[in-house]
DNA sequence: CCCATATAGTTGTATATACAACTCTTGTAT
DNA sequence: ATACAAGAGTTGTATATACAACTATATGGG
């Protein structure tokens, strides 16, 4: 559905305004699509994101700082996200022996198993973007990168 | 900055995955840019959004249902957002005389004044998208509309 | 060695989001 | 009329987000 119908608004003033609103709206929409699907496995989008980061490091541990740096939403509180994953047995956490300020976080077997399942979800959802061909997907990605460049 | 540097990730598997992650990330980034600027006026992005909707109806009243339908984030609780605006004297709220289930919400002079200021902020931010020309902005908007079409 | 400063996490708190349950009002079928 | 379902908001609660203050540890200069 076009943005105008979606928000019942006739016009957005400028193409820039329409673009900005549309990117925010579509980003929110995407997050809801994903998190809605993830709910059946009892984890949130951010939690899944953290698990993915930990898999990237596996079998090495990651610190909270490293996780925070790579999260989609940097302001989510990594400590508490990891708390949740710990409760579910998806990660282990222990004080780093070299530097006791740090904590080493490692994904568990169970966490890796769960990721396999959520990967499938993600893939299925991505296959539904059939209105966009792969070249366009690439182009959209490039546009997003440029949108965030604010050197001026 | 490219998404790969931003999230310190080498690759995103498929162009669709990269696109999806990038739209979510960029949408969040945009929302933070805007809400950060709005903070100086003591309102949130959603509150500003509601004020804009009310201005669209002005001088007619809007009901909560109408507001909810047009909000960028539909799950935000319109009742409580309006509460906040009411506290600040930016809107008035009273029971609709025709149908006492409804409430009529109208933006105040003060609310309209505030919107003038936040409009400027928005415009300034939009002008900073200098890496994107107007034609590209239009194209991005169209891509977003198509991305949300999931007829298959 | 001691102190100031920087680092790495944790905790607290206010606000926002998601979702369900609840209240009051209206419309409709018997 | 009366009862029952639908409509429009409100409230409650659990979780998440934003941001600041706090604790513990490490480092480097006098």
């Amino acid at each position: 559905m076009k943005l105008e119908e979606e928000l019942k608004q006739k016009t957005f003033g400028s193409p820039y305004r329409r673009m900005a609103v549309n990117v925010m709206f579509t980003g929110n929409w995407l997050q809801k699509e994903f998190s809605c699907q993830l709910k059946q496995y009892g984890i949130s989008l951010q939690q899944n994101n953290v698990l993915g980061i930990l898999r990237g490091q596996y079998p090495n541990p990651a610190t909270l700082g490293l996780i925070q740096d790579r999260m989609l939403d940097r302001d989510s509180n990594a400590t508490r996200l990891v708390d949740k994953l710990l409760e579910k047995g998806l990660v282990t956490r222990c004080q780093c022996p070299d530097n006791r300020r740090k904590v080493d976080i490692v994904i568990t077997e169970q966490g890796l198993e769960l990721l396999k399942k959520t990967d499938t979800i993600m893939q299925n959802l991505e296959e539904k973007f059939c209105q966009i061909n792969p070249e366009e997907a690439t182009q959209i990605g490039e546009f997003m990168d440029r949108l965030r460049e604010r050197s001026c």
Side-chain angles (χ1 to χ4, degrees), chain A residues 3 31 39-40 50 60 73 100 103 120 136 146 152:
Chain A
L3 189 65
Q31 300 199 33
K39 197 168 299 173
Q40 60 187 291
V50 171
N60 299 319
D73 189 335
R100 287 183 306 166
V103 288
T120 326
E136 290 170 332
R146 276 172 50 207
C152 57

Side-chain angles (χ1 to χ4, degrees), chain A residues 134-150:
Chain A
E135 289 72 34
E136 290 170 332
T138 304
Q139 203 187 346
I140 292 173
E142 283 165 8
F143 275 142
M144 292 300 112
D145 285 346
R146 276 172 50 207
L147 191 49
R148 293 195 314 280
E149 268 173 40
R150 303 278 296 279

Side-chain angles (χ1 to χ4, degrees), chain A residues 79-96:
Chain A
T79 301
R80 287 190 274 238
L81 277 173
V82 170
D83 282 348
K84 292 289 159 63
L85 295 172
L86 199 62
E87 281 171 23
K88 294 170 192 146
L90 304 171
V91 305
T92 60
R93 171 165 65 181
C94 58
Q95 200 173 41
C96 172

Side-chain angles (χ1 to χ4, degrees), chain A residues 112-148:
Chain A
L112 290 167
E113 282 305 311
L114 182 60
L115 269 182
K116 276 186 207 157
K117 292 181 200 154
T118 64
D119 280 343
T120 326
I121 287 183
M122 295 309 211
Q123 240 172 295
N124 289 343
L125 276 175
E126 280 156 29
E127 276 163 21
K128 289 204 180 145
F129 298 138
C130 53
Q131 317 294 333
I132 304 280
N133 67 41
E135 289 72 34
E136 290 170 332
T138 304
Q139 203 187 346
I140 292 173
E142 283 165 8
F143 275 142
M144 292 300 112
D145 285 346
R146 276 172 50 207
L147 191 49
R148 293 195 314 280

Side-chain angles (χ1 to χ4, degrees), chain A residues 3-150:
Chain A
L3 189 65
E4 284 76 5
E5 304 166 52
E6 204 81 73
L7 304 182
K8 281 126 195 135
Q9 202 169 323
K10 285 210 189 60
T11 165
F12 288 89
S14 79
Y16 287 107
R17 170 62 67 96
R18 185 177 193 280
M19 171 193 74
V21 173
N22 216 343
V23 172
M24 292 191 282
F25 183 76
T26 307
N28 285 342
W29 177 85
L30 270 174
Q31 300 199 33
K32 280 171 198 173
E33 290 280 313
F34 283 122
S35 52
C36 164
Q37 293 291 323
L38 286 173
K39 197 168 299 173
Q40 60 187 291
Y41 293 112
I43 62 169
S44 69
L45 187 62
Q46 294 293 350
Q47 287 172 17
N48 191 61
N49 186 207
V50 171
L51 284 182
I53 293 165
L54 292 173
R55 179 171 56 184
Q57 301 299 307
Y58 190 78
N60 299 319
T63 61
L64 279 170
L66 181 145
I67 293 172
Q68 202 126 27
D69 257 17
R70 299 173 189 219
M71 279 199 299
L72 251 151
D73 189 335
R74 271 73 179 277
D75 293 314
S76 318
N77 191 319
T79 301
R80 287 190 274 238
L81 277 173
V82 170
D83 282 348
K84 292 289 159 63
L85 295 172
L86 199 62
E87 281 171 23
K88 294 170 192 146
L90 304 171
V91 305
T92 60
R93 171 165 65 181
C94 58
Q95 200 173 41
C96 172
D98 304 337
N99 184 336
R100 287 183 306 166
R101 284 174 305 183
K102 297 186 179 180
V103 288
D104 281 346
I105 297 148
V106 182
I107 189 168
T108 61
E109 258 318 307
Q110 209 185 330
L112 290 167
E113 282 305 311
L114 182 60
L115 269 182
K116 276 186 207 157
K117 292 181 200 154
T118 64
D119 280 343
T120 326
I121 287 183
M122 295 309 211
Q123 240 172 295
N124 289 343
L125 276 175
E126 280 156 29
E127 276 163 21
K128 289 204 180 145
F129 298 138
C130 53
Q131 317 294 333
I132 304 280
N133 67 41
E135 289 72 34
E136 290 170 332
T138 304
Q139 203 187 346
I140 292 173
E142 283 165 8
F143 275 142
M144 292 300 112
D145 285 346
R146 276 172 50 207
L147 191 49
R148 293 195 314 280
E149 268 173 40
R150 303 278 296 279

